[in-house]
Amino acid sequence: MSLLSTVAAFSLQGKKALVTGSSGGIGKGIAQTLVDRGAQVVIHYNERKAEAMEFQQQLGKKKCLGAIHCDFRDPTSKLVRFMEQVNELCGGELDILVNNAGVITKLALEDDTDDLSFWHDTMAVNLHAPNLLSKVFVNRFSTSLMSSDVTTRGVIINVSSIHGERSNEYMGAYAASKAALDSLTRTMAIEYAPYRVRVNAISPGVVPVERSQAAFSDPIIMGQWCDRLALQRVGTVQEVAEACIPLIENDWITGSIWQVDGGMMARANMPLRDRPPALRPE
């Protein structure tokens, strides 16, 4: 059976999932994909309440267990309370945590405030929140260690970025937060394995979402990006969301960071060149 047919056939019937930052963009796409596979989801939002309520209504009560607001820059106690609310909606049976919520900070390092407020906000949302939410999530399973013949009890998916591996100017805080999230993903995978909780990450490349649709509607901008991609096109939210399914399904994948980037990171940032002539034997 091919990977695509396996993904299509895989069912999450009876599973309950939290997808943070799911009022739009990649988070919404992941939540929709999980629902399409039979899961029930909890939506999280910060600023986009109207969009979250619309998505909740679209999914319906049977598929969406609720929509909860939380600003991940808030004190730790509020994030813990947020997870308590999620567990209440799930009846204490949350199976899948997708740490998708994030902020993209585009700012020169020297232009941050003297107290590094933008840096700290970026780390709070992109790194500290996934760490804390995952810790609370795993607490459900940590009352007893499981024997080696028991398969997965819980799954965590961290949504990282290609900026975690290689970035560019004016993305310092964002790139640092995602590089740290990649490292945290591997550590979580090791430390949570005894509880049969698997932890992986997806690392999306160039994927237009609501906030960037206007820019990518410009053929010049689209062309500039596509020239950097092996597949010569940008990705879709659906393609990124679908990458989560094998990571949820396969009980032997943990500690992995999957690039979903159209081949962007496979190539060094060198000038494009013509194809050299084929070498022919003398």
Side-chain angles (χ1 to χ4, degrees):
M1 183 179 290
S2 69
L3 175 60
L4 290 177
S5 60
T6 300
V7 169
F10 180 60
S11 173
L12 290 172
Q13 196 69 40
K15 300 295 184 180
K16 298 176 182 179
L18 164 64
V19 183
T20 67
S22 47
S23 60
I26 289 175
K28 181 178 179 180
I30 293 173
Q32 182 66 65
T33 297
L34 297 184
V35 165
D36 291 344
R37 299 300 190 279
Q40 295 176 294
V41 298
V42 175
I43 297 170
H44 157 260
Y45 67 95
N46 180 22
E47 297 177 348
R48 297 188 291 189
K49 180 177 180 179
E51 290 86 344
M53 296 301 105
E54 181 181 354
F55 186 35
Q56 179 184 19
Q57 185 175 15
Q58 174 189 330
L59 292 177
K61 293 182 179 180
K62 290 185 178 181
K63 297 179 180 178
C64 181
L65 298 171
I68 308 177
H69 169 266
C70 187
D71 186 341
F72 288 169
R73 297 169 298 179
D74 284 343
T76 296
S77 59
K78 290 192 176 182
L79 272 70
V80 172
R81 175 55 188 153
F82 164 74
M83 284 299 286
E84 290 174 350
Q85 291 177 281
V86 171
N87 280 320
E88 288 169 8
L89 290 175
C90 294
E93 296 180 351
L94 183 64
D95 303 289
I96 302 165
L97 168 62
V98 181
N99 287 310
N100 167 77
V103 293
I104 300 177
T105 307
K106 298 179 180 179
L107 186 72
L109 294 172
E110 62 181 329
D111 289 339
D112 204 342
T113 59
D114 288 343
D115 61 355
L116 301 180
S117 60
F118 289 98
W119 175 275
H120 290 300
D121 284 351
T122 304
M123 294 300 166
V125 178
N126 294 1
L127 181 63
H128 301 160
N131 185 24
L132 178 61
L133 299 184
S134 298
K135 179 178 182 296
V136 176
F137 172 73
V138 173
N139 281 345
R140 176 191 165 204
F141 307 104
S142 63
T143 53
S144 61
L145 297 179
M146 301 298 292
S147 60
S148 59
D149 60 344
V150 174
T151 55
T152 300
R153 301 171 79 196
V155 175
I156 298 172
I157 303 287
N158 292 324
V159 179
S160 184
S161 167
I162 57 173
H163 284 273
E165 179 177 336
R166 202 171 300 136
S167 191
N168 55 279
E169 61 274 11
Y170 315 133
M171 300 287 285
Y174 181 73
S177 71
K178 293 302 185 177
L181 184 61
D182 289 348
S183 183
L184 180 64
T185 297
R186 297 183 182 100
T187 301
M188 284 180 176
I190 298 167
E191 295 193 9
Y192 295 155
Y195 308 113
R196 295 297 176 261
V197 175
R198 294 187 296 102
V199 188
N200 295 289
I202 57 171
S203 182
V206 186
V207 180
V209 293
E210 295 91 340
R211 66 176 180 274
S212 58
Q213 280 292 0
F216 280 100
S217 65
D218 184 336
I220 295 177
I221 293 177
M222 179 68 83
Q224 289 173 339
W225 282 106
C226 289
D227 282 346
R228 302 294 191 271
L229 299 166
L231 298 183
Q232 293 288 293
R233 68 173 179 85
V234 298
T236 68
V237 167
Q238 184 64 24
E239 286 169 327
V240 174
E242 289 286 357
C244 294
I245 300 302
L247 296 177
I248 294 172
E249 176 195 18
N250 194 308
D251 285 324
W252 211 54
I253 301 178
T254 196
S256 293
I257 299 166
W258 282 20
Q259 289 179 348
V260 190
D261 67 351
M264 185 174 188
M265 302 304 286
R267 186 180 188 279
N269 186 27
M270 298 179 182
L272 295 174
R273 63 186 67 181
D274 293 334
R275 181 173 176 172
L279 296 176
R280 302 184 181 279
E282 295 182 357

